[in-house]
Amino acid sequence: MSPRPETFTIVIFGAGGDLALRKLFPSIFQLSRWGHLPSAWRVIGVGRAGYTHEQFRRYVRDRVIELSPESVDDRQSFDEFCEQLFYVNTELDEPGGYISLYNEIMRTRGDDGGCSNLLFYLSTPPSLAPVIVRNLVTAGLGGREHPCPGWRKIVVEKPFGHDLKSARELNSILEEAFDENQIYRIDHYLGKEPVQNIMVFRFSNGMFEPLWNRQYIEQVQITIAEDFGIRSRGAYYEESGLLRDIVQNHGLQLLAAIAMEPPVELSPDSIRDEKSKVLRSLRLFSRETVHDSVVTGQYEGYLGEKGVAPDSKVETFAFVKFMVDNWRWSGVPFYMKAGKCLGRTVTEIVLTFKCPPQNFYGKYGTAACTPNQVVLGIQPDETVAIRFGTKRPGEELVTDPVFMKFDYRTSFAEKGLTPYHRLLLDAVAGNQMNFIRRDSLERSWTIVDSIRDSLDGILPDRYPVHSWGPESDERIYESSPD
Ligand code: BG6
């Protein structure tokens, strides 16, 4: 657990939005209730809804109870929590509004110097980020301005840009106002307990790491599947599509954690160096290679979703074969399947090992070797399972594959923190380990842009709801790995 932070103020842009109401306010409430926050903290919401402080408090109270009732386990504490909320009403592109924000920060700082430490949280569409940052600077609230002593940090939600060009522009604007060590590009997947366990599993056990390479591993499969569609996010999805929504961030971050080398030390930058190297080793896509490496799909019924164009070509599914061109992984395909409206909601990583050189037991009944696997369950099951062959009881010498399984929920009494609890605490404490550094972010966009550019004109295949995507994805497995 990060040390208890000093007094601070969180300024949330997009405070009336879904993410803030479902994740941020419930997480801040619970952290304060569990004693992880200092007694003096406050949240200032910024938006154009025209609320007074009191109206904003009422709005947050009602909506959080509606959207995240499980987080409000004590109404009285929640009411007290809401008293710490304030509101600044402004258009986000209106510089004058940021002077009001400045004044509000100074006004609410109190005797404890609560304005000293400021965390700006951008929970807004990426197109608004540049104007917000510019206006913060003009109002004297940039990362290098010090209206009072203390730290300044800025958390930027995904999607961080729309492609490499826009991500670069946003990075440049941010860096005019904040140093890289003040910028927290969030990918909530990195706050998930089983995702954090990937490195621990690999680097704290002597028995797996020696096998974790091209000599022993046949292939890696990363699945990020959801059994539901785009819900009410039609407008967002039409702009984004699955490659940008999932592959560019969650998918490539999982891949980097699986493929990275051991870091020199457990410092944020040592870890981020190794992840960045993996992303740099990922082979880019071209018109020539894309047919055998990528299948995209769109679920039947997508065109009828609210906010979706009747002739939309946006993908809600992708199956991609990545190749990591480095010493450890050369020739090992990393398959990534991600999509909406698939068979079930599951995120898992399966490492399949090569078969032993001779299959003695084949002639006794098991035709082909059933390879060993390590299965890292990320959600809903938080598990690690190992598949191996074992002798079936009885007279015959026949092997059956069996699983040995560890499950977080049954092995530990204590519950882990949710991603937003953890990442908020990390940001406040100044720990960037689980936030994306600029080089990795831009390289991820280069990779996804190369897929999208190569696909130009190739339309997504339709797939039935609750299937596992278009059948055309079989051709990816059939193509040679290298
Ligand atoms: C978000 C995506 O980043 O992650 C969503 O925009 C997706 O499309 C969500 O549903 C999945 O996150 P989780 O943690 O709920 O599985």
Side-chain angles (χ1 to χ4, degrees):
M1 176 63 55
S2 311
R4 201 169 135 120
E6 306 150 52
T7 300
F8 63 92
T9 300
I10 305 183
V11 178
I12 302 180
F13 295 89
D18 215 51
L19 179 88
L21 295 166
R22 282 180 198 276
K23 304 287 185 191
L24 300 183
F25 288 115
S27 300
I28 300 167
F29 166 58
Q30 288 174 319
L31 287 174
S32 73
R33 196 157 141 62
W34 299 335
H36 292 320
L37 299 185
S39 51
W41 58 270
R42 53 196 54 73
V43 174
I44 301 177
V46 185
R48 54 175 189 170
Y51 297 132
T52 61
H53 299 313
E54 199 36 59
Q55 286 167 332
F56 179 58
R57 288 169 192 153
R58 212 171 314 128
Y59 172 76
V60 171
R61 189 163 40 228
D62 294 348
R63 295 286 283 148
V64 169
I65 289 171
E66 181 192 335
L67 296 172
S68 180
E70 68 292 348
S71 65
V72 185
D73 50 359
D74 178 340
R75 275 300 295 272
Q76 195 189 331
S77 311
F78 189 58
D79 289 347
E80 285 162 19
F81 161 86
C82 289
E83 291 306 307
Q84 304 284 91
L85 310 182
F86 301 86
Y87 193 74
V88 171
N89 185 56
T90 178
E91 294 289 342
L92 295 181
D93 59 358
E94 174 50 55
Y98 291 71
I99 305 295
S100 311
L101 173 61
Y102 182 98
N103 292 337
E104 188 59 37
I105 289 170
M106 301 310 275
R107 191 186 70 76
T108 53
R109 76 170 161 169
D111 297 337
D112 52 27
C115 103
S116 309
N117 298 315
L118 284 175
L119 183 74
F120 298 108
Y121 200 114
L122 270 53
S123 175
T124 53
S127 55
L128 286 172
V131 78
I132 294 173
V133 174
R134 289 208 166 102
N135 283 333
L136 284 176
V137 174
T138 312
L141 289 168
R144 301 188 188 103
E145 314 284 340
H146 291 279
C148 44
W151 48 252
R152 308 270 175 284
K153 293 169 194 162
I154 186 161
V155 179
V156 187
E157 263 296 337
K158 74 170 270 278
F160 192 101
H162 190 68
D163 54 14
L164 177 62
K165 185 167 173 289
S166 54
R168 271 197 182 138
E169 279 165 13
L170 178 51
N171 274 326
S172 302
I173 292 166
L174 273 167
E175 285 186 2
E176 280 168 30
F178 294 86
D179 295 331
E180 179 65 26
N181 64 13
Q182 297 175 299
I183 303 172
Y184 291 72
R185 300 175 192 83
I186 201 165
D187 177 335
H188 77 279
Y189 253 60
L190 298 189
K192 290 182 191 277
E193 201 74 66
V195 173
Q196 303 201 335
N197 188 43
I198 296 174
M199 264 183 64
V200 178
F201 180 74
R202 289 187 55 195
F203 303 133
S204 71
N205 294 300
M207 65 190 278
F208 301 111
E209 196 47 30
L211 308 179
W212 210 265
N213 56 52
R214 62 188 297 276
Q215 310 274 14
Y216 298 100
I217 292 184
E218 184 77 35
Q219 57 155 280
V220 179
Q221 170 105 32
I222 298 172
T223 303
I224 306 176
E226 290 172 328
D227 64 1
F228 49 88
I230 54 164
R231 294 185 160 147
S232 54
R233 299 161 81 212
Y236 162 72
Y237 232 77
E238 283 288 276
E239 287 287 306
S240 154
L242 185 114
L243 286 163
R244 289 181 171 120
D245 185 41
I246 301 286
V247 174
Q248 186 270 338
N249 35 78
H250 310 326
L252 288 179
Q253 285 299 317
L254 291 182
L255 190 155
I258 291 292
M260 68 188 271
E261 295 298 320
V264 176
E265 55 181 6
L266 274 190
S267 69
D269 269 329
S270 297
I271 291 169
R272 298 191 304 172
D273 284 346
E274 298 308 329
K275 290 186 176 173
S276 173
K277 281 193 227 163
V278 173
L279 297 172
R280 269 160 48 207
S281 308
L282 275 185
R283 194 182 298 171
L284 298 181
F285 297 80
S286 66
R287 283 299 278 189
E288 288 68 44
T289 60
V290 78
H291 179 264
D292 287 340
S293 318
V294 182
V295 165
T296 58
Q298 187 186 82
Y299 63 83
E300 287 168 1
Y302 175 73
L303 297 181
E305 301 274 21
K306 192 160 168 265
V308 168
D311 57 350
S312 172
K313 315 276 187 296
V314 165
E315 81 286 350
T316 59
F317 168 93
F319 184 48
V320 184
K321 181 176 73 179
F322 289 103
M323 300 304 293
V324 184
D325 288 332
N326 66 13
W327 199 259
R328 184 186 281 258
W329 294 112
S330 180
V332 180
F334 281 66
Y335 297 109
M336 189 180 295
K337 180 177 282 201
K340 302 278 181 193
C341 278
L342 296 183
R344 72 187 171 98
T345 297
V346 58
T347 300
E348 68 176 19
I349 303 163
V350 181
L351 294 102
T352 301
F353 288 74
K354 293 183 174 166
C355 284
Q358 288 193 321
N359 183 15
F360 290 133
Y361 302 103
K363 61 185 171 194
Y364 295 106
T366 313
C369 140
T370 308
N372 292 127
Q373 288 183 328
V374 170
V375 183
L376 303 174
I378 308 295
Q379 61 186 28
D381 296 339
E382 301 183 340
T383 49
V384 177
I386 296 174
R387 182 170 85 171
F388 54 96
T390 195
K391 180 189 168 301
R392 192 189 298 164
E395 255 178 67
E396 280 182 297
L397 206 49
V398 177
T399 56
D400 266 347
V402 291
F403 279 98
M404 208 158 61
K405 204 176 210 178
F406 150 80
D407 188 329
Y408 261 100
R409 285 170 202 153
T410 50
S411 296
F412 292 103
E414 64 269 41
K415 281 186 85 179
L417 294 175
T418 69
Y420 278 94
H421 289 135
R422 178 180 299 278
L423 295 175
L424 273 168
L425 277 183
D426 282 352
V428 169
N431 178 2
Q432 291 187 304
M433 186 178 296
N434 292 305
F435 293 85
I436 316 291
R437 207 169 57 187
R438 177 174 185 165
D439 53 346
S440 287
L441 185 275
E442 293 186 0
R443 178 64 187 175
S444 303
W445 275 121
T446 303
I447 296 160
V448 165
D449 283 359
S450 87
I451 301 177
R452 292 177 46 79
D453 293 347
S454 314
L455 282 170
D456 189 28
I458 303 174
L459 300 182
D461 295 331
R462 289 282 158 77
Y463 61 93
V465 169
H466 296 151
S467 67
W468 283 100
E471 285 173 6
S472 48
D473 74 1
E474 281 304 314
R475 74 164 182 265
I476 309 286
Y477 288 122
E478 284 156 15
S479 68
S480 77
D482 210 350

PDB file of all heavy atoms in Angstrom, residues 383-407:
ATOM      1  N   THR A 383      -7.423 -16.101 -11.590  1.00  0.00           N
ATOM      2  CA  THR A 383      -6.837 -17.421 -11.349  1.00  0.00           C
ATOM      3  C   THR A 383      -5.502 -17.585 -12.075  1.00  0.00           C
ATOM      4  O   THR A 383      -5.180 -16.856 -12.995  1.00  0.00           O
ATOM      5  CB  THR A 383      -7.787 -18.512 -11.886  1.00  0.00           C
ATOM      6  OG1 THR A 383      -8.172 -18.150 -13.207  1.00  0.00           O
ATOM      7  CG2 THR A 383      -9.028 -18.646 -11.042  1.00  0.00           C
ATOM      8  N   VAL A 384      -4.765 -18.597 -11.643  1.00  0.00           N
ATOM      9  CA  VAL A 384      -3.637 -19.095 -12.432  1.00  0.00           C
ATOM     10  C   VAL A 384      -3.848 -20.594 -12.515  1.00  0.00           C
ATOM     11  O   VAL A 384      -4.030 -21.262 -11.486  1.00  0.00           O
ATOM     12  CB  VAL A 384      -2.280 -18.816 -11.743  1.00  0.00           C
ATOM     13  CG1 VAL A 384      -1.153 -19.423 -12.571  1.00  0.00           C
ATOM     14  CG2 VAL A 384      -2.060 -17.324 -11.553  1.00  0.00           C
ATOM     15  N   ALA A 385      -3.859 -21.143 -13.721  1.00  0.00           N
ATOM     16  CA  ALA A 385      -4.070 -22.584 -13.861  1.00  0.00           C
ATOM     17  C   ALA A 385      -2.950 -23.157 -14.712  1.00  0.00           C
ATOM     18  O   ALA A 385      -2.435 -22.503 -15.616  1.00  0.00           O
ATOM     19  CB  ALA A 385      -5.426 -22.849 -14.506  1.00  0.00           C
ATOM     20  N   ILE A 386      -2.582 -24.384 -14.378  1.00  0.00           N
ATOM     21  CA  ILE A 386      -1.532 -25.050 -15.153  1.00  0.00           C
ATOM     22  C   ILE A 386      -2.108 -26.360 -15.675  1.00  0.00           C
ATOM     23  O   ILE A 386      -2.687 -27.148 -14.901  1.00  0.00           O
ATOM     24  CB  ILE A 386      -0.306 -25.313 -14.267  1.00  0.00           C
ATOM     25  CG1 ILE A 386       0.262 -23.959 -13.844  1.00  0.00           C
ATOM     26  CG2 ILE A 386       0.738 -26.131 -15.019  1.00  0.00           C
ATOM     27  CD1 ILE A 386       1.367 -24.052 -12.871  1.00  0.00           C
ATOM     28  N   ARG A 387      -1.990 -26.559 -16.954  1.00  0.00           N
ATOM     29  CA  ARG A 387      -2.526 -27.803 -17.535  1.00  0.00           C
ATOM     30  C   ARG A 387      -1.371 -28.765 -17.808  1.00  0.00           C
ATOM     31  O   ARG A 387      -0.358 -28.385 -18.390  1.00  0.00           O
ATOM     32  CB  ARG A 387      -3.244 -27.497 -18.846  1.00  0.00           C
ATOM     33  CG  ARG A 387      -3.862 -28.739 -19.444  1.00  0.00           C
ATOM     34  CD  ARG A 387      -4.755 -28.393 -20.593  1.00  0.00           C
ATOM     35  NE  ARG A 387      -3.997 -28.271 -21.822  1.00  0.00           N
ATOM     36  CZ  ARG A 387      -4.569 -28.137 -23.031  1.00  0.00           C
ATOM     37  NH1 ARG A 387      -5.881 -28.094 -23.140  1.00  0.00           N
ATOM     38  NH2 ARG A 387      -3.837 -28.031 -24.109  1.00  0.00           N
ATOM     39  N   PHE A 388      -1.568 -29.978 -17.366  1.00  0.00           N
ATOM     40  CA  PHE A 388      -0.564 -30.997 -17.657  1.00  0.00           C
ATOM     41  C   PHE A 388      -1.262 -32.338 -17.864  1.00  0.00           C
ATOM     42  O   PHE A 388      -2.408 -32.534 -17.469  1.00  0.00           O
ATOM     43  CB  PHE A 388       0.490 -31.082 -16.537  1.00  0.00           C
ATOM     44  CG  PHE A 388      -0.091 -31.290 -15.166  1.00  0.00           C
ATOM     45  CD1 PHE A 388      -0.184 -32.562 -14.631  1.00  0.00           C
ATOM     46  CD2 PHE A 388      -0.551 -30.220 -14.417  1.00  0.00           C
ATOM     47  CE1 PHE A 388      -0.723 -32.763 -13.363  1.00  0.00           C
ATOM     48  CE2 PHE A 388      -1.089 -30.409 -13.152  1.00  0.00           C
ATOM     49  CZ  PHE A 388      -1.178 -31.672 -12.628  1.00  0.00           C
ATOM     50  N   GLY A 389      -0.538 -33.250 -18.476  1.00  0.00           N
ATOM     51  CA  GLY A 389      -1.108 -34.575 -18.725  1.00  0.00           C
ATOM     52  C   GLY A 389      -0.877 -35.466 -17.526  1.00  0.00           C
ATOM     53  O   GLY A 389       0.144 -35.376 -16.850  1.00  0.00           O
ATOM     54  N   THR A 390      -1.841 -36.316 -17.245  1.00  0.00           N
ATOM     55  CA  THR A 390      -1.680 -37.218 -16.113  1.00  0.00           C
ATOM     56  C   THR A 390      -2.279 -38.584 -16.470  1.00  0.00           C
ATOM     57  O   THR A 390      -3.127 -38.672 -17.358  1.00  0.00           O
ATOM     58  CB  THR A 390      -2.345 -36.609 -14.858  1.00  0.00           C
ATOM     59  OG1 THR A 390      -1.917 -37.286 -13.722  1.00  0.00           O
ATOM     60  CG2 THR A 390      -3.843 -36.651 -14.947  1.00  0.00           C
ATOM     61  N   LYS A 391      -1.840 -39.596 -15.781  1.00  0.00           N
ATOM     62  CA  LYS A 391      -2.334 -40.933 -16.117  1.00  0.00           C
ATOM     63  C   LYS A 391      -3.766 -41.115 -15.626  1.00  0.00           C
ATOM     64  O   LYS A 391      -4.072 -40.828 -14.469  1.00  0.00           O
ATOM     65  CB  LYS A 391      -1.450 -41.987 -15.473  1.00  0.00           C
ATOM     66  CG  LYS A 391      -1.905 -43.391 -15.792  1.00  0.00           C
ATOM     67  CD  LYS A 391      -1.163 -44.426 -14.991  1.00  0.00           C
ATOM     68  CE  LYS A 391      -1.845 -45.768 -15.126  1.00  0.00           C
ATOM     69  NZ  LYS A 391      -3.237 -45.795 -14.677  1.00  0.00           N
ATOM     70  N   ARG A 392      -4.616 -41.522 -16.523  1.00  0.00           N
ATOM     71  CA  ARG A 392      -6.004 -41.789 -16.120  1.00  0.00           C
ATOM     72  C   ARG A 392      -6.019 -43.050 -15.248  1.00  0.00           C
ATOM     73  O   ARG A 392      -5.330 -44.018 -15.567  1.00  0.00           O
ATOM     74  CB  ARG A 392      -6.856 -42.017 -17.369  1.00  0.00           C
ATOM     75  CG  ARG A 392      -8.351 -42.005 -17.078  1.00  0.00           C
ATOM     76  CD  ARG A 392      -9.159 -42.451 -18.264  1.00  0.00           C
ATOM     77  NE  ARG A 392      -9.007 -41.595 -19.417  1.00  0.00           N
ATOM     78  CZ  ARG A 392      -9.380 -41.952 -20.655  1.00  0.00           C
ATOM     79  NH1 ARG A 392      -9.896 -43.131 -20.891  1.00  0.00           N
ATOM     80  NH2 ARG A 392      -9.220 -41.126 -21.661  1.00  0.00           N
ATOM     81  N   PRO A 393      -6.760 -43.051 -14.120  1.00  0.00           N
ATOM     82  CA  PRO A 393      -6.750 -44.248 -13.257  1.00  0.00           C
ATOM     83  C   PRO A 393      -7.257 -45.468 -14.018  1.00  0.00           C
ATOM     84  O   PRO A 393      -8.143 -45.350 -14.859  1.00  0.00           O
ATOM     85  CB  PRO A 393      -7.714 -43.887 -12.123  1.00  0.00           C
ATOM     86  CG  PRO A 393      -7.999 -42.441 -12.256  1.00  0.00           C
ATOM     87  CD  PRO A 393      -7.654 -42.016 -13.630  1.00  0.00           C
ATOM     88  N   GLY A 394      -6.705 -46.576 -13.726  1.00  0.00           N
ATOM     89  CA  GLY A 394      -7.184 -47.810 -14.371  1.00  0.00           C
ATOM     90  C   GLY A 394      -6.045 -48.594 -14.963  1.00  0.00           C
ATOM     91  O   GLY A 394      -4.873 -48.258 -14.804  1.00  0.00           O
ATOM     92  N   GLU A 395      -6.426 -49.622 -15.650  1.00  0.00           N
ATOM     93  CA  GLU A 395      -5.443 -50.572 -16.178  1.00  0.00           C
ATOM     94  C   GLU A 395      -4.585 -49.991 -17.287  1.00  0.00           C
ATOM     95  O   GLU A 395      -3.396 -50.216 -17.372  1.00  0.00           O
ATOM     96  CB  GLU A 395      -6.203 -51.763 -16.766  1.00  0.00           C
ATOM     97  CG  GLU A 395      -6.149 -52.997 -15.919  1.00  0.00           C
ATOM     98  CD  GLU A 395      -6.967 -54.075 -16.559  1.00  0.00           C
ATOM     99  OE1 GLU A 395      -6.585 -54.547 -17.633  1.00  0.00           O
ATOM    100  OE2 GLU A 395      -8.028 -54.402 -15.977  1.00  0.00           O
ATOM    101  N   GLU A 396      -5.230 -49.221 -18.137  1.00  0.00           N
ATOM    102  CA  GLU A 396      -4.525 -48.751 -19.323  1.00  0.00           C
ATOM    103  C   GLU A 396      -3.605 -47.579 -19.019  1.00  0.00           C
ATOM    104  O   GLU A 396      -3.859 -46.812 -18.095  1.00  0.00           O
ATOM    105  CB  GLU A 396      -5.544 -48.304 -20.369  1.00  0.00           C
ATOM    106  CG  GLU A 396      -6.140 -49.452 -21.131  1.00  0.00           C
ATOM    107  CD  GLU A 396      -7.098 -48.909 -22.183  1.00  0.00           C
ATOM    108  OE1 GLU A 396      -8.099 -48.286 -21.786  1.00  0.00           O
ATOM    109  OE2 GLU A 396      -6.820 -49.094 -23.364  1.00  0.00           O
ATOM    110  N   LEU A 397      -2.559 -47.451 -19.820  1.00  0.00           N
ATOM    111  CA  LEU A 397      -1.652 -46.317 -19.666  1.00  0.00           C
ATOM    112  C   LEU A 397      -2.096 -45.215 -20.630  1.00  0.00           C
ATOM    113  O   LEU A 397      -1.584 -45.063 -21.731  1.00  0.00           O
ATOM    114  CB  LEU A 397      -0.227 -46.771 -19.998  1.00  0.00           C
ATOM    115  CG  LEU A 397       0.904 -45.987 -19.353  1.00  0.00           C
ATOM    116  CD1 LEU A 397       0.685 -45.814 -17.852  1.00  0.00           C
ATOM    117  CD2 LEU A 397       2.228 -46.696 -19.603  1.00  0.00           C
ATOM    118  N   VAL A 398      -3.124 -44.450 -20.180  1.00  0.00           N
ATOM    119  CA  VAL A 398      -3.714 -43.415 -21.034  1.00  0.00           C
ATOM    120  C   VAL A 398      -3.583 -42.084 -20.313  1.00  0.00           C
ATOM    121  O   VAL A 398      -3.803 -42.013 -19.104  1.00  0.00           O
ATOM    122  CB  VAL A 398      -5.217 -43.724 -21.271  1.00  0.00           C
ATOM    123  CG1 VAL A 398      -5.863 -42.633 -22.089  1.00  0.00           C
ATOM    124  CG2 VAL A 398      -5.366 -45.064 -21.962  1.00  0.00           C
ATOM    125  N   THR A 399      -3.223 -41.054 -21.029  1.00  0.00           N
ATOM    126  CA  THR A 399      -3.076 -39.747 -20.352  1.00  0.00           C
ATOM    127  C   THR A 399      -4.317 -38.880 -20.568  1.00  0.00           C
ATOM    128  O   THR A 399      -4.947 -38.928 -21.619  1.00  0.00           O
ATOM    129  CB  THR A 399      -1.855 -38.965 -20.878  1.00  0.00           C
ATOM    130  OG1 THR A 399      -1.979 -38.828 -22.281  1.00  0.00           O
ATOM    131  CG2 THR A 399      -0.573 -39.633 -20.527  1.00  0.00           C
ATOM    132  N   ASP A 400      -4.613 -38.098 -19.563  1.00  0.00           N
ATOM    133  CA  ASP A 400      -5.686 -37.105 -19.655  1.00  0.00           C
ATOM    134  C   ASP A 400      -5.110 -35.750 -19.247  1.00  0.00           C
ATOM    135  O   ASP A 400      -4.332 -35.684 -18.295  1.00  0.00           O
ATOM    136  CB  ASP A 400      -6.812 -37.445 -18.665  1.00  0.00           C
ATOM    137  CG  ASP A 400      -7.892 -38.252 -19.329  1.00  0.00           C
ATOM    138  OD1 ASP A 400      -7.907 -38.332 -20.573  1.00  0.00           O
ATOM    139  OD2 ASP A 400      -8.715 -38.832 -18.587  1.00  0.00           O
ATOM    140  N   PRO A 401      -5.517 -34.678 -19.929  1.00  0.00           N
ATOM    141  CA  PRO A 401      -5.073 -33.356 -19.460  1.00  0.00           C
ATOM    142  C   PRO A 401      -5.883 -32.935 -18.231  1.00  0.00           C
ATOM    143  O   PRO A 401      -7.107 -33.105 -18.211  1.00  0.00           O
ATOM    144  CB  PRO A 401      -5.372 -32.445 -20.659  1.00  0.00           C
ATOM    145  CG  PRO A 401      -6.379 -33.158 -21.481  1.00  0.00           C
ATOM    146  CD  PRO A 401      -6.315 -34.626 -21.156  1.00  0.00           C
ATOM    147  N   VAL A 402      -5.214 -32.410 -17.226  1.00  0.00           N
ATOM    148  CA  VAL A 402      -5.903 -31.919 -16.026  1.00  0.00           C
ATOM    149  C   VAL A 402      -5.366 -30.519 -15.697  1.00  0.00           C
ATOM    150  O   VAL A 402      -4.301 -30.140 -16.174  1.00  0.00           O
ATOM    151  CB  VAL A 402      -5.674 -32.836 -14.807  1.00  0.00           C
ATOM    152  CG1 VAL A 402      -6.376 -34.164 -14.989  1.00  0.00           C
ATOM    153  CG2 VAL A 402      -4.185 -33.040 -14.550  1.00  0.00           C
ATOM    154  N   PHE A 403      -6.117 -29.791 -14.871  1.00  0.00           N
ATOM    155  CA  PHE A 403      -5.700 -28.443 -14.482  1.00  0.00           C
ATOM    156  C   PHE A 403      -5.411 -28.382 -12.989  1.00  0.00           C
ATOM    157  O   PHE A 403      -6.157 -28.946 -12.180  1.00  0.00           O
ATOM    158  CB  PHE A 403      -6.807 -27.427 -14.783  1.00  0.00           C
ATOM    159  CG  PHE A 403      -6.828 -26.989 -16.222  1.00  0.00           C
ATOM    160  CD1 PHE A 403      -7.704 -27.575 -17.130  1.00  0.00           C
ATOM    161  CD2 PHE A 403      -5.980 -25.994 -16.670  1.00  0.00           C
ATOM    162  CE1 PHE A 403      -7.731 -27.169 -18.452  1.00  0.00           C
ATOM    163  CE2 PHE A 403      -5.992 -25.579 -17.991  1.00  0.00           C
ATOM    164  CZ  PHE A 403      -6.869 -26.172 -18.895  1.00  0.00           C
ATOM    165  N   MET A 404      -4.372 -27.666 -12.630  1.00  0.00           N
ATOM    166  CA  MET A 404      -4.113 -27.351 -11.234  1.00  0.00           C
ATOM    167  C   MET A 404      -4.363 -25.853 -11.133  1.00  0.00           C
ATOM    168  O   MET A 404      -3.827 -25.087 -11.946  1.00  0.00           O
ATOM    169  CB  MET A 404      -2.644 -27.623 -10.930  1.00  0.00           C
ATOM    170  CG  MET A 404      -2.362 -27.978  -9.528  1.00  0.00           C
ATOM    171  SD  MET A 404      -0.793 -28.866  -9.450  1.00  0.00           S
ATOM    172  CE  MET A 404       0.340 -27.656 -10.078  1.00  0.00           C
ATOM    173  N   LYS A 405      -5.180 -25.439 -10.173  1.00  0.00           N
ATOM    174  CA  LYS A 405      -5.656 -24.055 -10.218  1.00  0.00           C
ATOM    175  C   LYS A 405      -5.473 -23.294  -8.899  1.00  0.00           C
ATOM    176  O   LYS A 405      -5.755 -23.828  -7.827  1.00  0.00           O
ATOM    177  CB  LYS A 405      -7.145 -24.099 -10.545  1.00  0.00           C
ATOM    178  CG  LYS A 405      -7.676 -22.839 -11.170  1.00  0.00           C
ATOM    179  CD  LYS A 405      -9.140 -23.061 -11.544  1.00  0.00           C
ATOM    180  CE  LYS A 405      -9.540 -22.255 -12.731  1.00  0.00           C
ATOM    181  NZ  LYS A 405     -10.909 -22.501 -13.125  1.00  0.00           N
ATOM    182  N   PHE A 406      -5.008 -22.070  -9.019  1.00  0.00           N
ATOM    183  CA  PHE A 406      -4.988 -21.145  -7.874  1.00  0.00           C
ATOM    184  C   PHE A 406      -6.048 -20.085  -8.134  1.00  0.00           C
ATOM    185  O   PHE A 406      -6.166 -19.591  -9.262  1.00  0.00           O
ATOM    186  CB  PHE A 406      -3.602 -20.486  -7.772  1.00  0.00           C
ATOM    187  CG  PHE A 406      -3.634 -19.109  -7.178  1.00  0.00           C
ATOM    188  CD1 PHE A 406      -3.723 -18.932  -5.799  1.00  0.00           C
ATOM    189  CD2 PHE A 406      -3.609 -17.977  -7.986  1.00  0.00           C
ATOM    190  CE1 PHE A 406      -3.779 -17.658  -5.255  1.00  0.00           C
ATOM    191  CE2 PHE A 406      -3.649 -16.696  -7.445  1.00  0.00           C
ATOM    192  CZ  PHE A 406      -3.742 -16.544  -6.077  1.00  0.00           C
ATOM    193  N   ASP A 407      -6.829 -19.748  -7.113  1.00  0.00           N
ATOM    194  CA  ASP A 407      -7.885 -18.752  -7.288  1.00  0.00           C
ATOM    195  C   ASP A 407      -7.725 -17.692  -6.191  1.00  0.00           C
ATOM    196  O   ASP A 407      -7.731 -18.016  -4.994  1.00  0.00           O
ATOM    197  CB  ASP A 407      -9.252 -19.441  -7.148  1.00  0.00           C
ATOM    198  CG  ASP A 407     -10.390 -18.503  -7.517  1.00  0.00           C
ATOM    199  OD1 ASP A 407     -10.246 -17.282  -7.302  1.00  0.00           O
ATOM    200  OD2 ASP A 407     -11.416 -18.999  -8.008  1.00  0.00           O
TER     201      ASP A 407
END
